[in-house]
Amino acid sequence: MNIELLIFVFIYLIGTLAIGAWAGTKVKNTADFAVAGHTLPLYMVITTSFATWFGAETVMGIPAKFVKEGLQGVVEDPFGASMCLVFVGLFFAVRLYRMKLLTIGDFFRRRYGTPVEILCSVMIILSYLGWVAAQVTALGLVFTILSGGQISHETGMVVGTVLVLVYVMMGGMLAVAWTDFIQMIVLVLGLSYIAWYSAGLVGGASKVIDYAAERDWFNILPPPTLKDWSFFIAAAITMMLGSIPQQDVFQRVMSAKDERSAKYGAVIGGLCYLAFAFVPMFIVVAALIKMPEHSKELLDSDPQRVLPRMILDHMPFFAQILFFGALVSAIKSCSSATLLAPSTSFVENILRHIRPDLRDKQLLLAMRITILVFTALVLTYAILTKGTSIYELVSNAYQITLAGAFVPLTAGLYWKRATTQGAIFSIFLGVISWAVVTFSDNIPLPGFAGLSEEIPPQLVALSFAIFGMIFGSLAPQWIKNRCHILMEHIGLWPEDSYSDDPAHETH
């Protein structure tokens, strides 16, 4: 058992509680709790945007996937994930910031009405189960590894989650932003030192790069077939587009003190994430060179343990402290924000309609209680899905929002003729088509078995969602106008009672 390291991890986790307690004294209302009172400067928006994605899957999930499938296997994350932040900064941040919203669900209510707000909010909340479960799973793995198996994976999950939960409940987004700022400094310095030390262990960085190149791990493009390319594109857009209508991404944009910070904070944060996500991949390749037999055994059983094993077996205590400090920082930065985001959405976009009489202080209390309840649900889900890889838990999380929420958000911002009917058509067609393909093996009809292995559900869902938005928005008005024309011809309707002018459409 690495008792010294275990004590360090506990102290580090408990230390963040002090930040949460301090941030809690600054929280006076729901805006402070949900979006840090719109006060974050550019440098903090960058670090908290960077922390959006730099979690357990970046440190352990992505490297494990990379050494099995190369860059082609990690196109979804970090490539798609980083481009999500870049796209948010370039095309969404300023428009949403000017609306002074508290949640992304507020946009759907203003643009389309309450039914669309509730539908999209439910999808967004459900999508966080897999994402937060990945962080909880990693916390449990850290405690299990450091205790030499004396602390079970489940116990580690519970202990780590409780420590994160407490400071999020106290300080909300303000606590998340400050801890992200500190933790990203620890993470960047720690992993940079580990990468430098790893290169020295195996004879230089060039040997690590050559080792990966010899195995064709730098080839990102799929084989030139329609099936392979369709799955490649589907993987890329899952987080690239499916994460755009997410509350945690939105909260970072809305927490900025001005439009410029909101825009450039997301763009710079996304590019920094893409660049630094290669560091854990580099370290794992070095591990394969340094301990080939042990690494092969771990790759066959649990590839997520390769990197921690390399650190514990071949690096000095100082490097171990840096690594596990960086790892815990990554996990906490992700899990804290993703516990806060769905809870904020539930209170603001669902509970408000059930209890419209609640005052701001009561809503603030409701947010804290909801975080507690959601955490219990996530912990249960993480335990039930034990054995699922961290990377898969994350990658599966955002297909539902890609299917149901991305098109209504984008069309609502950029297409004036988008209507409530179009949004509802888009949501239902996108989600239903995604579900049909995803769960095709359970449909007792000929032709459905194995459908998800031939056609990517994400592309099917996105195509149907776009069709639903266009058809649902244009068809009712077109039919109405054609009927008016017909009635006018037979003398039953005044000539000026219909119009093709989009201004006549109701949203």
Side-chain angles (χ1 to χ4, degrees):
M1 180 186 294
N2 297 279
I3 187 66
E4 296 89 355
L5 272 176
L6 197 56
I7 291 172
F8 166 77
V9 169
F10 271 113
I11 292 174
Y12 186 76
L13 284 168
I14 292 172
T16 56
L17 300 183
I19 298 174
W22 169 81
T25 64
K26 308 293 183 182
V27 174
K28 306 301 181 186
N29 52 49
T30 53
D32 290 340
F33 192 80
V35 290
H38 308 288
T39 60
L40 298 187
L42 175 61
Y43 67 90
M44 289 192 73
V45 179
I46 291 173
T47 54
T48 197
S49 296
F50 177 72
T52 304
W53 301 136
F54 213 106
E57 76 291 344
T58 313
V59 180
M60 295 191 292
I62 291 175
K65 193 86 169 174
F66 172 71
V67 298
K68 296 183 77 172
E69 302 178 27
L71 288 181
Q72 190 182 133
V74 296
V75 64
E76 184 171 334
D77 188 9
F79 292 99
S82 61
M83 287 301 101
C84 165
L85 291 176
V86 172
F87 288 164
V88 166
L90 293 178
F91 303 112
F92 295 86
V94 173
R95 288 173 180 253
L96 290 172
Y97 190 88
R98 289 173 180 171
M99 299 178 73
K100 295 298 179 185
L101 308 168
L102 196 62
T103 69
I104 192 70
D106 291 347
F107 169 81
F108 292 114
R109 182 180 67 250
R110 287 194 192 180
R111 186 64 174 83
Y112 301 115
T114 301
V116 175
E117 170 197 12
I118 293 174
L119 283 172
C120 289
S121 296
V122 168
M123 285 187 292
I124 290 168
I125 291 168
L126 291 176
S127 72
Y128 280 101
L129 280 173
W131 179 258
V132 189
Q135 313 311 315
V136 172
T137 299
L139 276 173
L141 186 59
V142 168
F143 284 111
T144 300
I145 291 173
L146 292 181
S147 67
Q150 296 299 307
I151 298 177
S152 69
H153 199 168
E154 291 80 2
T155 303
M157 288 181 187
V158 173
V159 172
T161 303
V162 168
L163 291 173
V164 174
L165 168 68
V166 172
Y167 86 81
V168 177
M169 285 184 65
M170 287 192 294
M173 187 61 198
L174 197 58
V176 169
W178 273 105
T179 52
D180 280 353
F181 178 68
I182 295 169
Q183 288 166 174
M184 288 307 100
I185 293 174
V186 173
L187 188 149
V188 169
L189 293 178
L191 287 183
S192 296
Y193 175 81
I194 296 295
W196 173 80
Y197 195 94
S198 299
L201 286 177
V202 298
S206 60
K207 286 195 174 182
V208 178
I209 295 171
D210 291 343
Y211 185 90
E214 288 168 4
R215 285 152 182 78
D216 203 28
W217 287 346
F218 292 135
N219 178 29
I220 192 172
L221 297 179
T225 67
L226 179 60
K227 178 181 176 180
D228 287 314
W229 268 97
S230 64
F231 276 92
F232 177 80
I233 294 171
I237 66 173
T238 297
M239 291 185 73
M240 186 187 300
L241 305 181
S243 298
I244 290 176
Q246 284 291 355
Q247 178 62 17
D248 59 322
V249 175
F250 173 84
Q251 278 178 301
R252 280 144 170 81
V253 170
M254 296 305 294
S255 296
K257 68 176 184 178
D258 52 41
E259 293 178 9
R260 179 179 175 276
S261 299
K263 176 179 180 178
Y264 291 106
V267 172
I268 297 171
L271 293 176
C272 288
Y273 173 70
L274 178 60
F276 207 74
F278 283 92
V279 175
M281 294 187 234
F282 177 91
I283 299 171
V284 166
V285 175
L288 298 181
I289 300 173
K290 180 65 180 176
M291 46 180 209
E293 297 299 326
H294 200 174
S295 296
K296 185 178 184 304
E297 180 184 330
L298 288 174
L299 285 174
D300 293 336
S301 58
D302 189 356
Q304 295 164 164
R305 292 176 179 260
V306 173
L307 186 49
R309 196 72 265 160
M310 163 78 163
I311 305 300
L312 291 174
D313 291 350
H314 298 281
M315 293 197 177
F317 185 68
F318 175 69
Q320 294 173 17
I321 289 177
L322 286 178
F323 171 75
F324 284 98
L327 176 57
V328 171
S329 294
I331 295 169
K332 287 171 69 272
S333 63
C334 261
S335 55
S336 59
T338 46
L339 285 176
L340 176 64
S343 306
T344 305
S345 290
F346 173 79
V347 172
E348 177 68 13
N349 304 115
I350 296 177
L351 184 62
R352 268 186 181 273
H353 297 294
I354 300 172
R355 291 290 306 277
D357 58 319
L358 291 179
R359 299 188 300 275
D360 192 76
K361 285 189 175 181
Q362 293 172 314
L363 289 170
L364 181 57
L365 176 62
M367 285 183 183
R368 287 178 163 134
I369 294 173
T370 305
I371 290 173
L372 178 62
V373 174
F374 185 76
T375 302
L377 292 174
V378 166
L379 189 56
T380 303
Y381 179 75
I383 292 173
L384 291 175
T385 56
K386 181 184 174 184
T388 305
S389 77
I390 293 171
Y391 191 92
E392 292 304 317
L393 282 170
V394 171
S395 63
N396 292 335
Y398 293 116
Q399 292 188 22
I400 186 70
T401 45
L402 174 65
F406 171 72
V407 172
L409 172 64
T410 307
L413 285 173
Y414 284 98
W415 192 37
K416 291 182 179 180
R417 302 194 70 170
T419 66
T420 299
Q421 299 97 313
I424 292 174
F425 266 77
S426 177
I427 292 168
F428 277 100
L429 288 181
V431 172
I432 290 172
S433 61
W434 170 80
V436 167
V437 178
T438 301
F439 304 107
S440 56
D441 287 344
N442 299 319
I443 299 176
L445 292 174
F448 280 91
L451 187 61
S452 61
E453 297 176 5
E454 299 297 323
I455 306 173
Q458 305 97 305
L459 280 185
V460 173
L462 183 61
S463 301
F464 272 91
I466 294 171
F467 170 78
M469 174 58 73
I470 296 172
F471 178 82
S473 296
L474 299 183
Q477 187 64 32
W478 184 87
I479 293 171
K480 178 181 177 181
N481 287 342
R482 300 291 80 76
C483 289
H484 288 175
I485 290 173
L486 177 62
M487 295 175 72
E488 184 240 337
H489 278 308
I490 60 177
L492 297 177
W493 201 271
E495 185 175 350
D496 61 351
S497 62
Y498 66 90
S499 172
D500 287 318
D501 187 351
H504 287 247
E505 297 181 30
T506 59
H507 293 186

